[in-house]
Amino acid sequence: MKANRTLVAALALALAAVLRPAAGQQAPAPIFGETLEVRVVNLEVVVTDRGGLPVTGLEARDFQLLVDGAEVPIGFFTEVRGGTAIAPAAVAEEPAVPGAPALAPGEPVGTSYLVFVDEVFSVRRDLDQVLTRLREELGRLGPEDRMAIVAFDGRKLTMLTSWSASPVALDRALRDAMARPTFGLQRLGELRNLQNDQRLFRDLGSRSGAWPRTALEAHELAFAQRLQSHVQGVVFAAVGALRSFAEPPGRKVMLLLSGGWPEDAAEYAVGEPVLVGDPSAGLVRREEIYAPILATANQVGYTLYPVDVPGLVGLESDASVAEAPADVPAGTSSFREQSVHQTLRQLAGETGGRALVNAERLGALGAVAADTRSYYWLGFTPTWRGDDRDHAVELRVRREGLRVRSRSGFVDFSRGREVSLQVESGLLLGEVPGAEPLELEVGAPRASGIGRMKVPFTLTLRAEQLLLLPGGDGVPVATLELRVAALDERGGRSEVPVVPISIRGNADGSAGPWRYESALELRKLGHRLLVSVHDPATGRLFAAGREVAP
């Protein structure tokens, strides 16, 4: 939102102003010989007949795989039936590639369940019902299955348990989740206040009755901006969880316990379709809000199973909150609930999962376990370009009357974008998985204006952390990337600017320790900072985080 854009600008300006090459240094020399990792795109495919029953016994030749509309060969193929691989994995003459499941016929195939608990939108009573049923259904896990559980409170992503197959440990983690505070009543209170304002404006005749709406009133815009910020925070946290638990064995599934994420913040605020939005208001288009979690889930091979925590109770009828005004227009409540359900269906549909809404939420684990016991596991190796482009994937069955459910695309992430995502994830986790320690000193904040502060910091790179390559004039150069991310105590976060650093060594190829000093301009709030340095030549990533109090 506006505050976040301001933070991004402040970060970029501060870093650009202070982090300049030392005197006499020239622009970075290009680095050659970058190696792209060969990766496979996995597709977990559920095939059903007209009655919705699973179809087994298909072979690789029964499928047609298209990427961006062009048919591509299937690189491997395995059928998993009842949790057991029953068909050879290899169908192509190409050698095996990293990431392809190497399964022998008769080998058991487990499922890794990553449970994400949304505490930002969930009401305690509704969430407890879902968590209680999860505890009761732990017996549905198979001998090869495992589960990890994380919770997000709006600012911090907490791991309640890492991967575990122990029902006792998982039950304890779910009980811990039930003991944590939730903030859904605050979201409901914000909605009640909006409804009261809307009623007042209708009574005063302050807005036209034109339909569909082409603009938002000031109070509706403020609500939509705040709502979108909450949703983006949850999406941001879910992305961090996916990347932090990216490599478990077997089938990868994420249960998203959603307290109610709308499809479009502006339409949710108004309670009806909005024809034209105001781009200057900072509201993101609906397809952009959830793009990060869809791209990440498809990249790391997770199938999303969103769970509708409120269920039939709905977002606007919780007994612990005052009833909505009697003159709220008919259909507004159902429109908002449909918006929430549409989000869940979008997340599931584009990753090959199922949305568990209304009554289905109370049997979520059993439904997902049944859905992931029998499927086809196939995939291919695209030509990776690292250009951050989206690619559409379509899988067809060559037999009539059958339906296919699978992920619908993937993003060809660049290495730079990958590193930025790692750093963003580290903001919530307190550390960047796989990163090496970075020497970082953070000074005392000082006032820089009304509600603003400047935070000085110094980072040090030792000689052994630098790879010097020949520069244009024969003097060795290390070309690095600096990233700084910030998350405030209210959940507001910055995007991650990338600042190039060029370090010149000595003529003999040696280099001593290098120190960099800069300052960040932030709102006068508590912040979590994360500073990282990435070396594209070696792939090494150094990172350090600090808490800052105003």
Side-chain angles (χ1 to χ4, degrees), residues 390-406:
D390 294 298
H391 297 276
V393 175
E394 183 182 2
L395 192 67
R396 300 173 180 172
V397 182
R398 301 182 191 273
R399 298 186 185 182
E400 293 292 331
L402 300 184
R403 299 175 182 176
V404 176
R405 176 154 46 87
S406 181

Side-chain angles (χ1 to χ4, degrees), residues 107-447:
E107 181 178 347
V109 182
T111 300
S112 297
Y113 297 88
L114 176 57
V115 179
F116 178 89
V117 182
D118 160 31
E119 298 169 343
V120 178
F121 286 85
S122 296
V123 173
R124 174 81 279 154
R125 182 198 63 189
D126 299 335
L127 183 58
D128 281 354
Q129 291 180 339
V130 173
L131 292 174
T132 297
R133 287 301 300 270
L134 281 178
R135 292 175 57 197
E136 294 171 353
E137 290 190 306
L138 288 175
R140 300 294 297 271
L141 297 179
E144 303 295 327
D145 296 340
R146 64 207 58 79
M147 180 181 287
I149 305 170
V150 298
F152 180 61
D153 63 3
R155 187 168 186 263
K156 182 176 177 58
L157 183 66
T158 301
M159 182 177 69
L160 302 180
T161 179
S162 185
W163 295 117
S164 175
S166 166
V168 174
L170 296 175
D171 182 77
R172 183 186 306 115
L174 291 171
R175 283 189 281 111
D176 290 343
M178 296 174 68
R180 292 169 54 87
T182 61
F183 304 93
L185 291 181
Q186 295 182 17
R187 305 290 83 78
L188 288 170
E190 292 163 358
L191 178 58
R192 301 301 184 195
N193 292 336
L194 170 68
Q195 291 173 324
N196 288 331
D197 289 340
Q198 290 173 324
R199 177 180 59 176
L200 177 61
F201 268 64
R202 282 192 299 272
D203 292 344
L204 295 175
S206 301
R207 60 162 293 242
S208 68
W211 192 94
R213 295 277 294 278
T214 58
L216 275 65
E217 304 288 352
H219 56 280
E220 294 169 337
L221 177 58
F223 173 87
Q225 290 174 329
R226 184 167 54 248
L227 175 63
Q228 180 177 280
S229 179
H230 290 314
V231 171
Q232 289 177 317
V234 173
V235 169
F236 170 51
V239 168
L242 286 169
R243 298 189 68 83
S244 300
F245 292 87
E247 297 299 333
R251 176 81 182 268
K252 292 183 280 190
V253 163
M254 186 183 216
L255 272 71
L256 282 165
L257 306 192
S258 163
W261 311 332
E263 182 185 18
D264 183 280
E267 292 188 348
Y268 189 89
V270 175
E272 61 187 45
V274 176
L275 184 61
V276 179
D278 182 3
S280 65
L283 296 180
V284 179
R285 289 167 30 175
R286 69 183 71 194
E287 59 268 25
E288 297 177 7
I289 294 179
Y290 299 99
I293 187 173
L294 291 172
T296 303
N298 285 332
Q299 182 201 25
V300 300
Y302 267 88
T303 305
L304 301 182
Y305 286 84
V307 180
D308 174 30
V309 170
L312 290 171
V313 174
L315 292 175
E316 300 179 321
S317 57
D318 190 271
S320 55
V321 182
E323 292 299 322
D327 59 351
V328 169
T332 299
S333 176
S334 61
F335 178 88
R336 288 186 172 121
E337 188 160 7
Q338 289 170 11
S339 174
V340 169
H341 290 174
Q342 182 57 33
T343 296
L344 305 186
R345 293 188 178 101
Q346 175 193 2
L347 295 174
E350 296 196 26
T351 61
R354 280 182 51 204
L356 303 166
V357 302
N358 296 336
E360 290 181 306
R361 78 196 195 282
L362 297 181
L365 184 57
V368 176
D371 200 54
T372 56
R373 284 286 182 257
S374 297
Y375 56 96
Y376 298 92
W377 205 347
L378 55 90
F380 63 100
T381 304
T383 301
W384 296 103
R385 303 185 186 278
D387 54 10
D388 292 321
R389 290 185 56 191
D390 294 298
H391 297 276
V393 175
E394 183 182 2
L395 192 67
R396 300 173 180 172
V397 182
R398 301 182 191 273
R399 298 186 185 182
E400 293 292 331
L402 300 184
R403 299 175 182 176
V404 176
R405 176 154 46 87
S406 181
R407 67 184 75 258
S408 61
F410 67 95
V411 178
D412 189 354
F413 283 108
S414 64
R415 179 54 183 159
R417 182 57 182 149
E418 289 267 13
V419 173
S420 293
L421 289 171
Q422 283 182 271
V423 174
E424 288 179 337
S425 301
L427 264 182
L428 298 174
L429 298 169
E431 62 180 15
V432 180
E436 302 176 53
L438 177 68
E439 295 182 29
L440 174 66
E441 300 176 12
V442 177
R446 58 181 183 272

Side-chain angles (χ1 to χ4, degrees), residues 40-42 44 76-78 88-90 97-104 109 250 377-379:
V40 69
V41 174
N42 291 306
E44 301 80 21
F76 68 88
F77 180 88
T78 299
V97 294
L103 300 174
V109 182
W377 205 347
L378 55 90

